[in-house]
Amino acid sequence: DGVTEVLARHSESLRDKFVEIPCSEDYDSHKRFEGCTPRKCGRGVTDAVITREEALRVRRIAERGLSLGGSDGGASILDLHSGALSLGKHFVNLYRYFGDKVQDIFTEEDFALYRDVRKRIQQKIAQAFGISSAAMYLTKPTFFSRINNTEAKTTHDEYWHPHVDKVTYGSFDYTSLLYLSDYTEDFAGGRFVFMDAGSNKTIEPRAGRVSFFTSGSENLHRVEKVHWGTRFAITISFTCNPDHGIGDPLL
């Protein structure tokens, strides 16, 4: 792995940490939206936007939803927007598959909290990159992940491969992760790793911590394999292209 530098330790509470890096050329092959498409690129970490208590409430939404299914392998996904839920080696649509039962699992308060958290993260990203929050649109996939050390059963369970979000998803311009559990307390391994030339920059998850970054090749990244315990997070992604925007999930 070469040299590893810790950008954010789980034991410290960071008000704001931001590192600016040169933008890749990935954005040039997509339509540009002035006042939103990244011209300033980088990565940030903050523990000051979402409280630990709010993060644990959000985690309970994930736990209740994933209690309906879950992957046979180590990585389970719950997407409240599309309804995608890991079930065995496949995915089902939560809303179609479970129908009215969904009303017993989630409440309007759950979805209101989800919206509020999403808005605050959006505003934080806009502020850090000097763009208008109104020019950003939520995009898919935006999802909860639950990762443990169960052996991978399908390629969907192989969450640890290095990747670039803009290359993988196309619509992504800004990516964020809200961590819902604690490194070394709830799980080992599972750190987030930016893979820079000559060194790795790692973020140690902590409940309530938000990491965010521009989605191009300037932020090639991966997640370490989880060795024990369970790691919960939610990935919330934004696009500058209104054609790729999605609405908040509705119960």
Side-chain angles (χ1 to χ4, degrees), residues 6 13 54 74 84 101 110 121 132 149 156 184 192 217 221 244:
V6 180
S13 180
E54 286 169 330
K101 264 181 117 171
D110 291 337
I121 292 172
S132 163
N149 67 347
H156 295 296
T184 74
F192 187 95
S217 303
H221 61 274
H244 294 303

Side-chain angles (χ1 to χ4, degrees), residues 10 21 23 32 35 41 43 65 70-71 81 83 101 121 131 140 150-151 188 199 223 225 235 242 246:
H10 79 285
I21 50 179
C23 291
R32 293 194 76 91
C41 291
R43 53 189 70 148
S71 162
H81 299 264
K101 264 181 117 171
I121 292 172
I131 61 172
K140 62 184 181 183
T150 307
E151 186 186 338
S199 75
V223 173
K225 288 186 180 180
T235 300
I246 59 172

Side-chain angles (χ1 to χ4, degrees), residues 3 6 23 33-34 62 110 113 124 146 168 188 194-195 203 211 227 241:
V3 181
V6 180
C23 291
F33 292 85
E34 275 314 310
D110 291 337
L113 173 64
K124 179 69 203 173
R146 182 184 71 194
T168 306
F194 289 110
M195 302 174 71
I203 293 174
S211 70
H227 303 311
N241 187 341

Side-chain angles (χ1 to χ4, degrees), residues 217-247:
S217 303
E218 68 277 359
N219 282 312
L220 173 69
H221 61 274
R222 66 183 177 88
V223 173
E224 293 176 329
K225 288 186 180 180
V226 168
H227 303 311
W228 58 259
T230 306
R231 176 194 192 269
F232 282 94
I234 178 169
T235 300
I236 302 177
S237 309
F238 299 96
T239 183
C240 297
N241 187 341
D243 293 344
H244 294 303
I246 59 172

Side-chain angles (χ1 to χ4, degrees), residues 62-63 65-67 69-71 73-78 144-148 230-233:
E63 288 171 335
L66 286 162
S67 72
S71 162
S76 298
I77 295 299
L78 166 65
F144 290 103
S145 57
R146 182 184 71 194
I147 303 173
N148 59 33
T230 306
R231 176 194 192 269
F232 282 94

